[in-house]
Amino acid sequence: MSKIFISCALPYANGPCHLGHLRSTYLPADIYARYNRMINNDVLLVCATDEHGTPIAVKADKENKKPIEISKRYHDMIVKDVESMNISLDSFTRTTDKAHYEIAQNFFLDLYEKGLIYRKDIQQLYCEECGKFLPDRYVEGICPVCGAEARGDHCEKCGRPLEPTELIEPQCLTCGSTPKIKDTYQYFFKLSAFQDDITEYIENNKNLPDNVRNYALNWLKEGLNDWVLTRDMDWGIPVPLEEAKGKVIYVWGEAFLGYISSASQWSKETGIKWEDYWKDNVVHFIGKDIIYHHAIFWPALLKGYGCKLPDTIYAGEFLSLEGQKMSTSKNWVVWISDFVKEFEPDLLRYYLTINAPLNKDTDFSWDDFQRRNNDGLADVIGNFLHRTFTFTHKFFDGEVPEYKNPSEQDLEFEKLIKELPDTVGDHIANFDFRDGLLEIFRVTKKGNKYFNDQEPWKAVKEDKQKAANTLHLSNQLAKILAVVLKPYIPTKAEQIAEIVNIANPEEWKDAKVPLNEGHKINKAKPLFKKIEDDKIAEQKNKLEENLKTEEDENMSDIITIDDFDKVEIRIGQIKEAEKIEKSDKLLKLQVDIGSEVRQIVAGLAQFYSPEELIDRKVAVVANLKPAKLFGTLSEGMLLATGESGALLSPDECEIGERIQ
């Protein structure tokens, strides 16, 4: 018997759960945990809500509440969501628990005392009105790359990660004033020191799925840089150093430890050592968007502390909705709490598993959800079970009939159903959850065909033993389905077991124990109902109403030709270029636009050396309001792509020429 430590990525406590959370993290973790418990592995499945960080503090400011009130509100919602979907967690705690604070601070101190965390002087935006340094999410401004509105850590439009000091026309999110750049300090983790260790871990760990390995290796090729591990905030875990008053541990520096603090609290309640599970086998289930953190940063922290690294990290790819990217801000999303008001949780567990392998992006469509439910659960499994139970009662008084003198068709079907538990089990053990479910459907479809070919309703009059063999084997498959479906759709599996008149299956090997001849079967009940068109139309209408509302609200973003005419774009030529001190991304350029030479700050340092840009012709927004960026005046903006930094190349144009 193995011990397995299984974790779900910590949900951020600034909103309830939606379908994407369930698909990428909680559902696959639950399927894997349930199966391993059924084969008598000792499983510890943990999670917690991630309750620190600037988004929660910002939301609290907007609502004039304390951050703990916001996190408590959403923690309670998330607990209900997870429970409603039958996720069998052993421990679900919070990163605001006292136990988590103690573990995080001790962890920080250990790395600090080893010299793996160090103090470094940096420049940061400071709001004189609020009297404080501003963390990234407390700053908004204009992206220096694409010119769109952006926040201090990220531009939604071009996808570029940013530093608050890089924003053009930065504003304090709290008071709206313009912050100043000031000297300060933060604490950094020596991530660069673990380049070789993490490369070896990623390259040699055969348990890692390809999407995780490939993503991590791409980051490693660029070289690891030290990571800032603290913030100037009131909300968070205080840095446990006398000199660091007013600073908290960055949320990504302590959130991972939620796995450990959740497990440790479980240990206090049960008296069982969580460490034994970690030492044996560790499996993280996460979403694609946090592969970098879990495959590089977290292993480096663990390595520095002296802990065993995770055995595997399984990352679910993205789930879109009706062909569009999910957006909680636009309410283009299906919340779990809304889903369970209208449909049984097992229907969603089934659909999100059968729809696509976990390592591929997929889409949630209400029409496809209806089709798969009706054609799969209702017509395949539901139909097979209903006919089996109904005919057993009609022809054999509700008892499993005698099995003897099997035909070639009987023997072929018997072999098929006996192999099913091992085949499904192997798929789940290898994280191929969809393949396991597809195998269940493949065999059940064969069961329907076998039932139709044997025609027990006719055979009972002409060759009763033939009908008896058919119903005997069909009931055996029904019993097997009650076991092998349990990791996937546990409530429905229990309902099948109830009709088959067996105890709720707790062990996988129960699937291989046949029903005895004469075993009494309970009367059939409808297990899987078809979903009507009007119910699906109602759900689609809700989404369309949300989209229409968003479009109406965004009409102000659409400009006319008159608005466009206000933008003056001229051809310029770069005469001088140099890097800006203390910035990895910005270059200071002197650009001749015909009538004058303008100084322009551009986020091109990652794509071009200063020498490459000399004499290069560029397109310049010439009537943009000047702004200081990293303390340097910028009097325009270059036109370049957001992804690759590619400059528009108007080589045939004259310097100073205006683009119409």
Side-chain angles (χ1 to χ4, degrees):
M1 180 178 72
S2 299
K3 291 184 182 295
I4 308 177
F5 188 108
I6 305 175
S7 71
C8 304
L10 274 58
Y12 201 55
N14 68 340
C17 291
H18 56 66
L19 303 189
H21 297 127
L22 184 67
R23 192 255 178 179
S24 66
T25 304
Y26 312 118
L27 178 56
D30 186 60
I31 292 171
Y32 189 69
R34 285 177 180 273
Y35 168 72
N36 275 283
R37 292 190 191 108
M38 293 179 76
I39 61 172
N40 289 319
N41 282 331
D42 193 357
V43 170
L44 175 56
L45 176 59
V46 302
C47 193
T49 40
D50 180 4
E51 301 187 17
H52 296 121
T54 50
I56 289 173
V58 169
K59 185 182 281 284
D61 286 347
K62 289 181 178 179
E63 297 186 21
N64 196 26
K65 295 182 181 294
K66 295 179 179 179
I68 191 67
E69 295 179 81
I70 301 297
S71 63
K72 175 66 165 61
R73 176 205 304 169
Y74 289 115
H75 169 83
D76 293 344
M77 288 184 183
I78 292 167
V79 168
K80 289 181 181 178
D81 290 338
V82 170
E83 289 178 346
S84 73
M85 296 308 303
N86 291 321
I87 307 301
S88 57
L89 287 161
D90 294 299
S91 178
F92 191 63
T93 57
R94 307 173 62 183
T95 60
T96 50
D97 291 337
K98 181 180 178 181
H100 181 76
Y101 271 57
E102 292 175 356
I103 288 172
Q105 288 180 326
N106 289 337
F107 196 89
F108 184 99
L109 280 175
D110 181 89
L111 297 177
Y112 180 77
E113 289 167 359
K114 290 175 179 175
L116 295 174
I117 293 176
Y118 63 93
R119 175 173 165 165
K120 179 182 178 181
D121 292 334
I122 63 169
Q123 288 189 317
Q124 194 172 335
L125 291 178
Y126 182 86
C127 179
E128 294 181 337
E129 292 290 329
C130 297
K132 64 181 181 181
F133 284 101
L134 301 179
D136 44 26
R137 292 290 186 96
Y138 272 88
V139 185
E140 291 183 342
I142 297 172
C143 175
V145 179
C146 71
E149 292 183 359
R151 61 180 189 235
D153 64 340
H154 181 73
C155 176
E156 288 284 351
K157 185 171 183 181
C158 70
R160 187 61 52 84
L162 299 169
E163 295 293 333
T165 49
E166 294 178 299
L167 292 178
I168 298 171
E169 298 182 11
Q171 288 187 327
C172 172
L173 189 63
T174 302
C175 68
S177 66
T178 301
K180 308 296 183 183
I181 294 177
K182 274 193 172 186
D183 292 331
T184 184
Y185 69 93
Q186 296 294 349
Y187 291 85
F188 283 70
F189 172 62
K190 285 187 178 179
L191 184 61
S192 59
F194 295 90
Q195 175 80 33
D196 293 340
D197 289 325
I198 302 305
T199 300
E200 181 182 358
Y201 168 66
I202 297 297
E203 289 182 341
N204 297 332
N205 187 349
K206 304 304 180 185
N207 295 319
L208 289 177
D210 289 342
N211 63 336
V212 173
R213 177 180 292 105
N214 294 337
Y215 189 94
L217 287 176
N218 284 335
W219 273 94
L220 287 163
K221 287 176 184 176
E222 297 180 9
L224 298 182
N225 298 315
D226 292 352
W227 199 345
V228 61
L229 204 62
T230 56
R231 293 288 190 271
D232 293 295
M233 292 182 66
D234 297 327
W235 179 239
I237 300 177
V239 173
L241 299 172
E242 281 294 327
E243 65 184 41
K245 288 183 179 179
K247 297 187 185 296
V248 299
I249 302 172
Y250 177 42
V251 65
W252 276 114
E254 50 90 1
F256 300 113
L257 295 166
Y259 304 141
I260 307 302
S261 63
S262 182
S264 69
Q265 291 181 74
W266 173 84
S267 289
K268 287 180 181 178
E269 294 175 2
T270 63
I272 304 171
K273 290 185 176 181
W274 69 267
E275 293 93 338
D276 292 341
Y277 295 82
W278 189 278
K279 291 174 184 175
D280 200 350
N281 194 9
V282 180
V283 182
H284 290 321
F285 284 91
I286 64 170
K288 175 183 179 179
D289 55 331
I290 52 176
I291 290 176
Y292 170 76
H293 306 81
H294 280 78
I296 294 178
F297 193 41
W298 176 226
L301 288 170
L302 289 170
K303 188 76 174 177
Y305 191 80
C307 288
K308 174 198 166 187
L309 306 191
D311 293 275
T312 191
I313 303 163
Y314 214 88
E317 299 282 327
F318 292 141
L319 178 71
S320 57
L321 175 60
E322 299 289 358
Q324 299 182 45
K325 181 182 178 181
M326 280 199 200
S327 171
T328 55
S329 61
K330 297 178 181 178
N331 206 23
W332 186 254
V333 67
V334 176
W335 303 106
I336 289 176
S337 57
D338 290 336
F339 181 92
V340 296
K341 290 175 185 176
E342 304 294 336
F343 304 97
E344 295 175 275
D346 276 358
L347 304 190
L348 184 57
R349 291 176 63 107
Y350 154 73
Y351 178 71
L352 292 179
T353 305
I354 202 77
N355 202 19
L358 194 59
N359 59 3
K360 293 185 181 297
D361 290 344
T362 189
D363 184 64
F364 180 94
S365 158
W366 280 113
D367 286 335
D368 191 52
F369 168 74
Q370 178 191 28
R371 179 185 66 80
R372 286 191 180 270
N373 177 82
N374 294 355
D375 296 351
L377 286 177
D379 282 350
V380 177
I381 292 181
N383 183 51
F384 173 79
L385 292 172
H386 187 76
R387 292 199 298 174
T388 295
F389 300 146
T390 299
F391 281 109
T392 299
H393 274 276
K394 185 174 183 179
F395 300 139
F396 296 97
D397 298 322
E399 296 181 355
V400 175
E402 183 181 22
Y403 181 63
K404 66 180 183 180
N405 302 324
S407 66
E408 184 179 336
Q409 291 83 4
D410 295 333
L411 292 172
E412 182 182 339
F413 184 56
E414 183 181 13
K415 180 176 182 293
L416 187 68
I417 64 177
K418 284 184 175 180
E419 292 172 348
L420 183 60
D422 287 340
T423 305
V424 175
D426 287 344
H427 283 308
I428 297 177
N430 291 316
F431 303 96
D432 297 323
F433 307 125
R434 180 175 183 259
D435 289 345
L437 194 50
L438 287 172
E439 183 64 16
I440 292 171
F441 272 85
R442 185 183 75 84
V443 172
T444 309
K445 284 181 180 179
K446 293 275 189 180
N448 276 312
K449 184 178 187 307
Y450 166 76
F451 201 98
N452 288 338
D453 291 346
Q454 298 306 104
E455 299 181 314
W457 56 91
K458 288 184 179 179
V460 73
K461 301 173 184 177
E462 303 164 359
D463 183 353
K464 192 167 185 179
Q465 189 56 53
K466 179 181 179 181
N469 286 353
T470 302
L471 270 302
H472 178 95
L473 292 176
S474 295
N475 276 289
Q476 303 302 339
L477 176 55
K479 188 265 178 78
I480 292 170
L481 291 176
V483 179
V484 298
L485 282 171
K486 191 170 181 180
Y488 295 103
I489 48 175
T491 301
K492 291 298 182 184
E494 291 172 12
Q495 291 172 358
I496 296 170
E498 184 181 344
I499 298 174
V500 176
N501 196 21
I502 58 174
N504 182 20
E506 298 294 340
E507 297 189 18
W508 198 258
K509 63 184 181 182
D510 291 341
K512 294 187 175 184
V513 179
L515 297 170
N516 294 324
E517 295 171 3
H519 177 85
K520 191 72 176 178
I521 301 294
N522 291 322
K523 287 193 174 181
K525 298 176 183 177
L527 292 171
F528 301 98
K529 298 178 182 179
K530 291 199 172 186
I531 300 173
E532 300 298 329
D533 291 346
D534 58 348
K535 198 164 187 179
I536 294 299
E538 181 183 349
Q539 301 305 316
K540 291 164 68 176
N541 287 338
K542 287 180 182 178
L543 278 178
E544 289 172 3
E545 288 170 6
N546 291 342
L547 182 62
K548 184 178 183 302
T549 301
E550 180 64 24
E551 287 174 345
D552 290 343
E553 291 175 353
N554 286 338
M555 284 301 290
S556 59
D557 295 336
I558 298 173
I559 66 172
T560 66
I561 188 64
D562 294 332
D563 295 320
F564 182 74
D565 279 343
K566 296 176 183 177
V567 181
E568 183 180 330
I569 303 175
R570 292 192 176 276
I571 304 305
Q573 187 175 44
I574 299 173
K575 296 299 183 181
E576 298 177 21
E578 61 181 293
K579 288 186 176 181
I580 292 180
E581 188 178 355
K582 296 184 179 181
S583 174
D584 296 329
K585 301 178 182 179
L586 300 179
L587 295 176
K588 182 171 71 173
L589 311 174
Q590 303 299 325
V591 184
D592 182 359
I593 62 170
S595 58
E596 60 180 309
V597 174
R598 293 275 187 91
Q599 178 171 286
I600 296 175
V601 177
L604 298 173
Q606 293 175 301
F607 310 107
Y608 303 94
S609 67
E611 295 75 20
E612 289 180 279
L613 293 174
I614 302 300
D615 293 331
R616 181 82 175 259
K617 285 185 178 180
V618 289
V620 180
V621 178
N623 62 339
L624 189 67
K625 181 181 177 182
K628 280 194 173 182
L629 187 58
F630 230 87
T632 303
L633 183 68
S634 183
E635 302 174 295
M637 184 175 72
L638 304 190
L639 298 186
T641 63
E643 294 299 321
S644 62
L647 291 161
L648 298 186
S649 300
D651 293 332
E652 303 301 320
C653 301
E654 296 295 327
I655 296 172
E657 187 176 351
R658 181 170 179 174
I659 297 176
Q660 300 297 322

